[in-house]
Amino acid sequence: MSTVEERPLSTAHFSSLSARTAELAQVREAVRLGPGEAATAAQHAKGKLTARERLALLFDEGEYTEVEGMRRHRATGFGLETKRPYTDGVVTGWGTVHGRTVFAYAHDFRIFGGALGEAHAEKIHKIMDLAEKAGAPIVGLCDGAGARIQEGVTALAGYGGIFQRNVRNSGVIPQISVILGPCAGGAAYSPALTDFVFMVRGTSQMFITGPDVVQAVTGEQITQDALGGADAHSTLSGVAHFAYDDERACLEDVRHLLGLLPANNRERPPAEPADDPADRTNEALYDLVPAEPGRAYDMKQVIGEVVDHGEYFEVHETWATNIICAFARLDGDVVGIVANQPAALAGVLDIEASEKAARFVQTCDAFNIPLITLVDVPGFLPGVDQEHGGIIRHGAKLLYAYCNATVPRISLTLRKAYGGAYIVMDSRSIGTDLALAWPTNEIAVMGAEGAAGVVFRKEIAASDDPEATRRARIEEYRTRLMHPYYAAERGLVDDVIDPAETRSRLIGALAMLRHKHAPLPTRKHGNQPQ
């Protein structure tokens, strides 16, 4: 540790103010330098930045104020009484991101490996409390070795205080966790309670029990990255929303996300000047989306054609890829987009897609972000694994999230929308404010082929030419019940629109719904499916 930080302060009772101020400057410099150049070099050798370097990338240049930089632990035993570095291994404070106030804490792995002790935890508690009082986002830059073993149960109690605040602030202020090193054991539960989790490939890992414990208990051999690295959590478990190759790119996108979110649940998301014409037409959609319901296409191209400047910020891009969740802007205003992806599993809903979309819908609703749902769904994925894995309760999560959402909601059916999946994807019957459709829409209980096989099963079986009869009945069913105006005639679709008008119609609908007010019944809280 730095020798300066262990030097006793002046004991002269009547030293001058200038002398005391000079002494303060020395202390502040010791706080800034931390444990010294060797520890910093070791951190850099791991491919990681220091806590202060990370904070400098997160906040606007020169706009950061530290809190409790001179804090030291009071623990004794196991040699701790002789090691009392400033900050106690976590740097806390506030600053601005794009000119808006944001709070943050950053574990300093150079000090006690970033391990959490009593003083360390109290610093995090304080900055979380300040963020709550100020109504501003909190960002945790996580790079710590878990609880400080030498401090025993007091370290564990410190985690409890963090978890309690995570839950209390859930849906109140945006909470973002950025995993930039190890995050193991109980420490992993705080990121899991926050709104968004960022990770960096090669340097960040999250797991409850590490590879050694896994091998001892189960006999399985696995590396830290394979068990809990960025790719494992962004593609397999869904714990991480974003994964990056380096810290700078990661922190730049944290800044970008903060620019899309309101400061708290009492505000609207920040708007930008609308310099992409609201009446821009979308003729390109005629060629992007095939009329045949069974042909695949990339829904991301549809989103890019409609939103401002073709720019959107996708959440969980590599997990449950059969559904897309993204933030974008329409006429300068932030919207949340949920869309089936026909290019992956034909856009079917399964367990993971339902969970992904449900969480995103809840997040948008919590922070006053209107929802646009683009529908092209053949149904729920059939199969024993899906049924035994709980597709019923997981699918119900998405249903619950939409039914509970009070933000403006607009659904647009591009092509097919079959069965229960049609209902779940924010249909008119579960409360969407405006249901639109393209002239290629097919809204029905199931596809014409399957429906004809059920309705006309006996007739087809008894026919002299079963195949001809089957084809005839398929066409009959499609003509009577699956034409694009069937739902509109019954008030389940508000309008069938020209695809080229998609952008202008969505922007107009959002303007109409800007001041929507839809209070929920008085209750302690709902009991959503788990």
Side-chain angles (χ1 to χ4, degrees), residues 321-342:
T321 56
N322 42 320
I323 201 160
I324 299 168
C325 297
F327 294 111
R329 291 184 184 274
L330 280 171
D331 203 31
D333 291 321
V334 178
V335 296
I337 297 175
V338 179
N340 305 113
Q341 173 56 295

Side-chain angles (χ1 to χ4, degrees), residues 321-323 340-350 376-379 416:
T321 56
N322 42 320
I323 201 160
N340 305 113
Q341 173 56 295
L345 292 178
V348 71
L349 285 178
D350 61 3
D376 191 343
V377 62
K416 58 190 175 297

Side-chain angles (χ1 to χ4, degrees), residues 235-248:
T235 62
L236 299 176
S237 72
V239 171
H241 299 77
F242 309 96
Y244 298 86
D245 291 328
D246 63 83
E247 293 188 16
R248 294 179 186 276

Side-chain angles (χ1 to χ4, degrees), residues 207-285:
F207 36 68
I208 299 300
T209 54
D212 294 341
V213 176
V214 169
Q215 183 176 359
V217 175
T218 70
E220 298 171 285
Q221 292 186 340
I222 192 168
T223 65
Q224 287 191 342
D225 261 353
L227 180 63
D231 287 327
H233 284 311
S234 63
T235 62
L236 299 176
S237 72
V239 171
H241 299 77
F242 309 96
Y244 298 86
D245 291 328
D246 63 83
E247 293 188 16
R248 294 179 186 276
C250 176
L251 291 168
E252 182 59 35
D253 266 4
V254 174
R255 287 174 54 85
H256 181 58
L257 176 59
L258 286 166
L260 295 168
L261 299 173
N264 56 65
N265 65 341
R266 301 183 302 278
E267 297 184 5
R268 294 172 184 256
E272 287 187 349
D275 52 1
D276 187 352
D279 60 355
R280 174 170 58 81
T281 56
N282 309 120
E283 285 88 353
L285 295 175

Side-chain angles (χ1 to χ4, degrees), residues 288-358:
L288 287 177
V289 181
E292 301 90 333
R295 285 183 57 192
Y297 64 94
D298 189 351
M299 183 68 82
K300 294 182 183 182
Q301 293 181 307
V302 175
I303 296 171
E305 170 62 25
V306 172
V307 301
D308 290 0
H309 305 295
E311 297 174 356
Y312 58 92
F313 189 57
E314 190 170 354
V315 178
H316 271 143
E317 181 178 5
T318 57
W319 181 62
T321 56
N322 42 320
I323 201 160
I324 299 168
C325 297
F327 294 111
R329 291 184 184 274
L330 280 171
D331 203 31
D333 291 321
V334 178
V335 296
I337 297 175
V338 179
N340 305 113
Q341 173 56 295
L345 292 178
V348 71
L349 285 178
D350 61 3
I351 289 173
E352 291 184 346
S354 299
E355 288 190 335
K356 171 180 169 178

Side-chain angles (χ1 to χ4, degrees), residues 42-54:
Q43 179 80 347
H44 288 166
K46 297 184 181 80
K48 301 194 294 183
L49 301 175
T50 65
R52 295 182 188 279
E53 289 169 338
R54 290 162 175 166

Side-chain angles (χ1 to χ4, degrees), residues 406 517-522:
T406 60
H517 178 64
L520 292 170
T522 300

